[in-house]
Amino acid sequence: MLLNLRNSIDFFLRRKIHFSRKNYYEENEDKSTLIFLDEEINREKNIIEKYNLLDYKNNSTISNYCQNLYIIDLLDKYLNIENCDTLRVLDIGSKNWYYVRAEFSYFKKYCNNLFLDGVEIDAYRLYANFYNRLEVAKYYMKGLSGVNYIPDDLKNINNRYDYIIWILPFVLIGPHRYWGLPDKYFLPKKLFEHAYSLLSKHGKMVIINQGEEEFNTQKNLMSGLKYKSLLLDNMFYKYKHERYLSIIEKE
Ligand SMILES: C[S@@+](CC[C@H](N)C(=O)[O-])C[C@H]1O[C@@H](n2cnc3c(N)ncnc32)[C@H](O)[C@@H]1O
């Protein structure tokens, strides 16, 4: 009750108060200190060549680089995609979109025209350095054409998408509150149904959940739909909780 009240007030205030100062920026970190397993070294080489990521490797922090490798690796392994002229892709709950490079590089390889949207309801949440998620996202999106960060609620999105990526949706109230969102926005079933309705025919939704409880709750939401799921390995980035991948295909 009290937490919800505090979350509601903070959420309202951070959408109203914005700071203005120089653009957010991250210094490159030397990747020669990175310790990968043999299997990862070969895979990294393969991904860099296939998706043209050498420039990015030389202009990123180690943590950001590894997290993007993690995402592009799983998209490359598990999403069967065919070349086409135009792709419309939506990322849901993008936060500061630290993984936009992976999504962009992956989908751009398979089309001439990519339109990649990221929607985030809490875009003005501040970090300790007083930059907000939107400002940090702008840094990660720099130079990526056709990419658009939308500071809004998923339920206000009404475009059609060929692919939807949803990494760590809030399917349990605990994490939703912990991340500072008011209870009135906790609508997992409604949001999931809305996201599914945005998919074009034969479009695919990629969902990543963490921990068994979230994954089981996600499975309830997906029941009756055509999907496959698997437990992800920790290639390139070791997360605290095990992560599950689900790919839903719209029939
Ligand atoms: C657990 S975080 C995951 C963030 C990011 N995808 C990642 O992998 O780090 C869930 C994100 O979804 C956002 N979110 C929750 N409800 C939303 C809604 N209705 N519309 C858009 N974003 C939402 C939250 O603000 C939060 O940033």
Side-chain angles (χ1 to χ4, degrees), residues 92-95 98-99 119-122 133 152-154 167-168 170 179 181 191:
I92 301 177
S94 309
K95 198 169 76 174
Y98 62 89
Y99 51 90
V119 61
E120 172 52 59
I121 198 172
D122 202 2
R133 289 173 167 180
D152 203 349
D153 190 334
L154 165 65
I167 306 175
L168 310 185
F170 289 143
W179 281 60
L181 289 182
L191 289 177

Side-chain angles (χ1 to χ4, degrees), residues 21-49:
R21 74 225 100 97
K22 69 178 185 322
N23 292 345
Y24 177 80
Y25 178 77
E26 284 180 0
E27 285 289 337
N28 176 55
E29 285 172 350
D30 178 14
K31 310 295 181 303
S32 62
T33 55
L34 252 177
I35 301 167
F36 280 154
L37 304 171
D38 283 353
E39 189 196 2
E40 289 172 322
I41 292 170
N42 292 332
R43 181 70 179 143
E44 180 199 17
K45 196 166 168 279
N46 173 265
I47 289 175
I48 290 206
E49 278 170 19

Side-chain angles (χ1 to χ4, degrees), residues 71 74-76 78-81 89-92 99 103 106-107 162-169 192 195-196 199 203-209 218 222 226-229 232 244-250:
I71 298 292
L74 70 88
L75 292 173
D76 182 75
Y78 302 117
L79 201 58
N80 289 326
I81 188 166
V89 181
L90 174 67
D91 180 83
I92 301 177
Y99 51 90
E103 292 178 342
Y106 176 77
F107 288 107
D162 305 300
Y163 290 90
I164 293 179
I165 315 287
W166 204 345
I167 306 175
L168 310 185
F192 177 75
Y196 186 76
L199 275 179
K204 288 181 182 165
M205 185 167 359
V206 176
I207 300 183
I208 297 177
N209 297 108
Q218 185 71 56
M222 300 186 296
K226 182 179 171 190
Y227 75 93
K228 61 177 183 187
S229 295
L232 287 168
Y244 297 85
L245 174 77
S246 301
I247 300 178
I248 307 166
E249 184 174 346
K250 186 147 180 184

